[in-house]
């Protein structure tokens, strides 16, 4: 039986915070399916997030694109020293989403180290994350 590490416990706390810490996100039903250093996978359920034409509401897709950046930050950086601020988020809606949608983002150890070093020396660091939002069958419905 594997012993749960302190970081594993912290990541479980982070998952709960990401899912319920912002009422809007909690109301959407967003789930953090996977969270570890440098990796996050989130899911936006279709239930409760449909619009007037039977597809997923654009705001739900936007939320799904935005939350993983904070999740990657919490799993990869020292939250006692730095915090993330979204400066910009561009969305391209490609196909209608008629079911649950997920997104996975990754950041390599070298990217994490470089950003941490830049933030330590300059007090901040800027980076770009690119997301692909996909339906359950793998269809690319949006990019961010």
């Amino acid at each position: 039986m594997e012993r749960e590490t302190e970081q594993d416990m912290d990541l479980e706390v982070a998952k709960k915070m990401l899912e319920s810490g912002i009422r809007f996100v909690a109301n959407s039903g967003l789930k953090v399916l996977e969270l570890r250093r440098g990796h996050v996978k989130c899911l936006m359920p279709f239930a409760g997030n449909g619009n007037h034409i039977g597809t997923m509401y654009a705001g739900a897709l936007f939320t799904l694109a935005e939350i993983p950046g904070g999740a990657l930050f919490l799993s990869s950086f020292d939250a006692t020293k730095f915090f993330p601020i979204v400066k910009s988020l561009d969305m391209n809606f490609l196909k209608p989403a008629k079911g649950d949608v997920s997104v996975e983002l990754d950041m390599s150890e070298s990217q994490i180290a470089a950003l941490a070093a830049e933030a330590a020396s300059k007090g901040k660091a800027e980076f770009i994350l690119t997301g692909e939002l996909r339906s359950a069958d793998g269809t690319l419905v949006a990019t961010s």
Side-chain angles (χ1 to χ4, degrees):
M1 183 167 141
E2 279 187 50
R3 189 170 159 260
E4 191 171 38
T5 67
E6 186 176 328
Q7 183 172 358
D8 291 336
M9 288 184 286
D10 289 346
L11 291 178
E12 285 305 312
V13 169
K15 276 185 182 181
K16 288 181 184 4
M17 185 179 78
L18 290 159
E19 292 174 352
S20 63
I22 300 170
R23 184 173 294 194
F24 182 89
V25 175
N27 290 343
S28 76
L30 181 139
K31 294 292 177 210
V32 179
L33 302 177
E34 298 172 19
L35 183 61
R36 62 183 178 274
R37 183 173 171 86
H39 176 79
V40 62
K41 181 177 182 178
C42 295
L43 177 122
M44 182 63 73
F46 182 77
N49 292 305
N51 62 21
H52 61 290
I53 60 170
T55 63
M56 188 173 286
Y57 173 59
L61 291 169
F62 185 94
T63 300
L64 179 62
E66 190 271 335
I67 288 295
L72 268 182
F73 170 81
L74 289 172
S75 71
S76 305
F77 299 97
D78 185 349
T80 64
K81 294 180 181 176
F82 305 105
F83 57 91
I85 297 174
V86 177
K87 289 180 68 175
S88 173
L89 193 133
D90 295 320
M91 291 287 301
N92 295 303
F93 299 101
L94 305 172
K95 299 223 180 221
K98 297 180 180 180
D100 296 351
V101 177
S102 63
V103 63
E104 285 187 73
L105 295 178
D106 292 290
M107 189 176 284
S108 70
E109 283 297 325
S110 61
Q111 288 173 305
I112 292 168
L115 286 169
E118 183 179 344
S121 69
K122 296 181 179 177
K124 65 180 179 178
E126 292 187 20
F127 59 98
I128 295 172
L129 296 172
T130 302
E132 293 185 344
L133 287 70
R134 296 188 176 273
S135 62
D137 69 1
T139 301
L140 183 63
V141 298
T143 58
S144 65

